[in-house]
Each structure stands twice: as structure tokens, then as C-alpha cells.
Amino acid sequence: MGILYIVPTPVGNMEDMTLRAIRVLKEADMVLAEDTRTSGILLKHFEIKNHLMSHHKFNEHGTTAGIVERLKAGQTIALISDAGTPGISDPGFFLAREAIAAGITVQCLPGPTACIPAIVASGMPCDRFCFEGFLPQKKGRKTFIEGLIGESRTMVFYESPYRLVKTLTQLAEVLGGDRQVAVCREISKLHEETRRGTLDEVAEYFKTTEPRGEIVIVLAGCSTKKNKQ
């Protein structure tokens, strides 16, 4: 049996790549990439000369069986996404589950992800939090947000810059405009920024300042005292 390595890659600064990640990508029999063009740049930067195979959300159900067979035959395969840790709002979960079901060793290297730096830098409680990923884009969006009314833990969301103002506005409408929020963008990149304040304040800021780059929203949970009333 081979080993499936899930390898985090930088969300911004190339210096966030770990030495172990570089070694695994060099030694693997094959590297699975969400986008071979994006990952090709990464591999070239670290002088990693390895075979890249496309593995993304549109083809993973079709390619996974063949990959599992390669692993059964003893190959070592590394999975990377465009940025961050595969499986966290990126392809990875399905392959990991199928490999585990087949008795294959699955190891995930520690490394870059956007949600942890965002919640730590937000200044909000991070001893307990819930990761919600991307909100539904259309159907069920408001219902999903309404389901978070009683959530007392700090919440973490990923969002597109094109939907950021809409999301902040909807969160304010349902949860209250005075709820504290931190919007972190371009984490680990040159123009990294964290904007903190109430939902109303931060939504107003981004109405006049066009948001760009990858976005993480860190939202305060409801007050325990309010929740009991």
C-alpha cells in the first residue's frame, strides 16, 4: 500500500511553504493539483520536477477510483490545491474518504490555511469557534444565516470579494448591525488587511472601498446573556 499525503501550500507568501512539504512533493510518485497551471508555478518556484495530474471538484468523482488503485499498488501520491489546505473549502475530502475506506494511509501535513490566521488576528475569542465555509450563493442563503442566530461561538466564513458587501448586509439584517466582525483579506500577501468593527460599519467601509483578493469573515457569536432572554 502507498500513502496519500495531503499537502498545504501557501495562501500568499511563498516563504510559508514548509521544508517537509517541499520534500514530500519532490519524492511523491505523482502530485494531484486543483489547477495544474497554478500549481506548476509553485513547483517551478521550489524546483520540484514531478508529474502533475488534474484533480478538482468537477472531475474528482471520476478520477478518484484510479488514484486509489495507484495507491493500492504502492505509489505515494501528494494532493495539493491552489492555496491552503486541501479539503478546507477545496477538493480533498472525497479522495481522503475513499482512500481511508480502502485501507490506505492518509497523512495531512500541517501548514498554511486562511481561517486560522484570520480568527487569531481578529481579536475575538478563538478558544471555541465554528467554521462555516462559503455561505450558499442563492437558494437557502437567508435560512442558513437565520440558523446561526443562537450560535454563541465565533464564526468563520470564506467569501468572494464580489459578494462581500451583500453578505455583510444580510448578516446585519438577520443578526443585528451592532454585531462585531473582522474582515481579513489577502492573508500573507503584500496588501494584507484586517478591517474590524460592527457589521454596519464594516459593510459601509467596503461600499466605498472596493474589496479585493481572498476574503475571510470572522463574526462574533451571539451574547450568552441575550440568548437566555
Side-chain angles (χ1 to χ4, degrees):
M1 289 281 192
I3 298 177
L4 173 63
Y5 286 102
I6 298 174
V7 183
T9 54
V11 296
N13 196 317
M14 285 289 194
E15 292 179 2
D16 293 336
M17 189 74 166
T18 69
L19 295 175
R20 184 183 175 200
I22 295 171
R23 178 181 60 78
V24 168
L25 292 179
K26 285 183 176 180
E27 294 178 354
D29 294 301
M30 175 189 293
V31 176
L32 305 176
E34 183 178 5
D35 186 324
T36 55
R37 294 165 299 181
T38 301
S39 296
I41 297 171
L42 176 79
L43 267 59
K44 184 177 180 180
H45 180 84
F46 290 105
E47 299 181 347
I48 300 170
K49 298 174 181 179
N50 206 332
H51 174 63
L52 277 174
M53 176 179 167
S54 180
H55 183 81
H56 47 73
K57 65 179 180 180
F58 300 109
N59 74 356
E60 62 181 346
H61 287 266
T63 59
T64 293
I67 295 166
V68 169
E69 289 303 313
R70 287 174 179 267
L71 290 162
K72 284 182 178 179
Q75 287 194 10
T76 297
I77 297 178
L79 171 67
I80 58 177
S81 60
D82 288 349
T85 301
I88 306 297
S89 293
D90 276 333
F93 161 71
F94 183 72
L95 176 59
R97 185 185 69 182
E98 295 301 299
I100 291 168
I104 294 159
T105 298
V106 176
Q107 292 187 12
C108 181
L109 277 60
T113 184
C115 63
I116 299 302
I119 190 171
V120 173
S122 73
M124 296 183 201
C126 50
D127 53 335
R128 295 178 70 242
F129 63 91
C130 57
F131 176 73
E132 297 292 346
F134 287 94
L135 290 170
Q137 290 188 27
K138 295 180 181 179
K139 188 177 181 181
R141 188 179 177 90
K142 186 177 180 182
T143 302
F144 186 92
I145 295 173
E146 288 173 345
L148 300 173
I149 290 175
E151 179 57 70
S152 60
R153 295 171 295 180
T154 303
M155 292 164 273
V156 184
F157 307 88
Y158 286 165
E159 191 52 280
S160 158
Y162 308 108
R163 292 190 299 270
L164 177 61
V165 172
K166 175 184 177 182
T167 296
L168 293 174
T169 302
Q170 287 183 321
L171 288 170
E173 289 172 353
V174 177
L175 305 179
D178 59 346
R179 183 78 66 97
Q180 289 293 309
V181 69
V183 172
C184 308
R185 66 177 197 88
E186 294 289 76
I187 291 173
S188 192
K189 296 179 182 178
L190 181 62
H191 300 292
E192 180 174 350
E193 175 190 22
T194 299
R195 177 63 53 171
R196 305 173 182 86
T198 66
L199 280 168
D200 283 342
E201 290 168 346
V202 177
E204 194 61 35
Y205 170 79
F206 283 111
K207 285 178 183 176
T208 57
T209 305
E210 182 183 1
R212 295 181 180 179
E214 300 295 324
I215 304 287
V216 182
I217 300 171
V218 183
L219 182 65
C222 71
S223 167
T224 306
K225 290 181 180 179
K226 287 184 179 180
N227 201 28
K228 289 181 178 179
Q229 291 176 356

